[in-house]
Amino acid sequence: MQIQKAIDNLDKLIADVEDARLQLSEHHIVKIVGISKYNSSEDVSSLYKAGQRAFGENKVQDLKQKMIDLEDFPLEWHFVGRLQKNKINNLIDLKPTLMQSLDSIELAEELNKKLEAKDKKMNCLLQINSAKEDSKAGVMPEDAIEIYKQIIQTCSNITLKGVMSIGAHVQDEEIIEKSFNTTKIIFDELKPLGAKYCSMGMSNDFKLAIKCGSNMIRVGSSLFK
Ligand SMILES: *Cc1c(COP(=O)(O)O)cnc(C)c1O
């Protein structure tokens, strides 16, 4: 990707995010995480030069490769994919800034056990399957609060920082909005327990997600196009 293209894409995204967040409040700050899973380290480097600092990957192996390729840059890395149990130790060693896809109590317990053994901690978001779609990972919305509390109580090497969700995979905006509102209500209930991030919104629906209270968006295709 040419630097100028990266600058244009990022400028456009920032302008759209600005517009959406200011409709809520001047004090509503939204963090942009660039999802680079379909793109090269060179593309990430172009976006870095345009000003973007936070990136995310959905496979441990790809995350590792990009972290190695780009180790000279002051980037922060997020993990947003399904974490297989046999990749947990590899992810721990990479020390991601935020693991956004903690999607079950079983995974939390397994991750916590391996963190304990290595005397490490990890910042995580609890993933919520807000539209209850079979194709998606995450805990059911009605179980989310209880599971969040349970992880806090039993997994002392995991530091929960909030929630992550993918908007409903449909055309109807009202249904997508409903799925975002479901996540936001849970997030608000978890704030007294230290939840800081409500990560929702991707290329096609981040404006709606911000309107519903998202403070972290994960944008791939429109940033890397
Ligand atoms: C791929 C991916 C994104 C980015 O999706 P785009 O539609 O390309 O913006 C966001 N979140 C997760 C979990 C993803 O896997």
Side-chain angles (χ1 to χ4, degrees):
M1 184 164 44
Q2 300 287 316
I3 303 287
Q4 192 54 50
K5 182 70 182 153
I7 290 172
D8 291 347
N9 289 352
L10 187 58
D11 282 356
K12 170 80 168 69
L13 178 62
I14 289 171
D16 286 346
V17 169
E18 247 343 71
D19 188 51
R21 76 169 189 92
L22 289 173
Q23 289 178 36
L24 283 190
S25 146
E26 277 182 52
H27 304 283
H28 186 77
I29 305 301
V30 178
K31 180 160 183 125
I32 299 171
V33 181
I35 305 298
S36 49
K37 64 188 180 201
Y38 297 133
N39 304 90
S40 65
S41 295
E42 287 71 32
D43 291 341
V44 175
S45 162
S46 296
L47 276 163
Y48 165 75
K49 285 167 190 155
Q52 179 62 22
R53 293 290 178 274
F55 294 92
E57 286 285 330
N58 70 341
K59 295 206 172 79
V60 175
Q61 196 49 44
D62 296 346
L63 178 63
K64 182 173 182 180
Q65 189 57 53
K66 285 204 175 70
M67 286 177 100
I68 291 170
D69 292 346
L70 299 160
E71 65 184 350
D72 289 343
F73 299 130
L75 302 179
E76 62 172 67
W77 286 101
H78 296 231
F79 183 76
V80 299
R82 283 193 197 205
L83 180 59
Q84 293 168 281
K85 292 213 166 121
N86 63 347
K87 301 282 166 60
I88 292 178
N89 277 324
N90 295 351
L91 185 66
I92 293 172
D93 294 341
L94 293 175
K95 303 195 197 80
T97 298
L98 189 60
M99 190 304 196
Q100 298 204 15
S101 43
L102 196 61
D103 57 14
S104 71
I105 188 74
E106 292 76 24
L107 179 63
E109 281 166 356
E110 196 72 22
L111 174 60
N112 189 64
K113 203 165 72 185
K114 293 186 164 147
L115 284 165
E116 236 170 39
K118 287 174 176 280
D119 196 21
K120 293 274 163 53
K121 299 218 168 190
M122 193 182 286
N123 294 322
C124 296
L125 302 183
L126 181 65
Q127 183 173 353
I128 300 170
N129 188 350
S130 54
K132 303 189 175 188
E133 291 164 307
D134 289 340
S135 58
K136 289 208 184 100
V139 303
M140 286 297 133
E142 62 270 25
D143 302 331
I145 306 268
E146 209 40 55
I147 292 176
Y148 199 96
K149 287 181 182 164
Q150 199 181 335
I151 294 171
I152 289 177
Q153 279 162 12
T154 63
C155 300
S156 56
N157 291 58
I158 290 175
T159 310
L160 279 178
K161 294 280 188 184
V163 294
M164 183 274 257
S165 191
I166 299 173
H169 188 71
V170 293
Q171 292 299 321
D172 188 341
E173 276 222 348
E174 266 181 43
I175 297 177
I176 303 173
E177 183 165 354
K178 196 163 158 261
S179 69
F180 287 146
N181 284 331
T182 296
T183 304
K184 176 60 163 53
I185 289 166
I186 295 166
F187 172 63
D188 286 340
E189 240 185 277
L190 292 171
K191 277 183 189 167
L193 300 176
K196 298 281 188 290
Y197 296 114
C198 179
S199 172
M200 53 187 196
M202 320 202 314
S203 293
N204 290 327
D205 56 17
F206 68 84
K207 289 181 204 168
L208 185 58
I210 292 169
K211 189 185 131 192
C212 297
S214 164
N215 62 12
M216 180 178 275
I217 59 172
R218 310 174 309 273
V219 179
S221 46
S222 67
L223 204 45
F224 287 90
K225 68 179 177 226

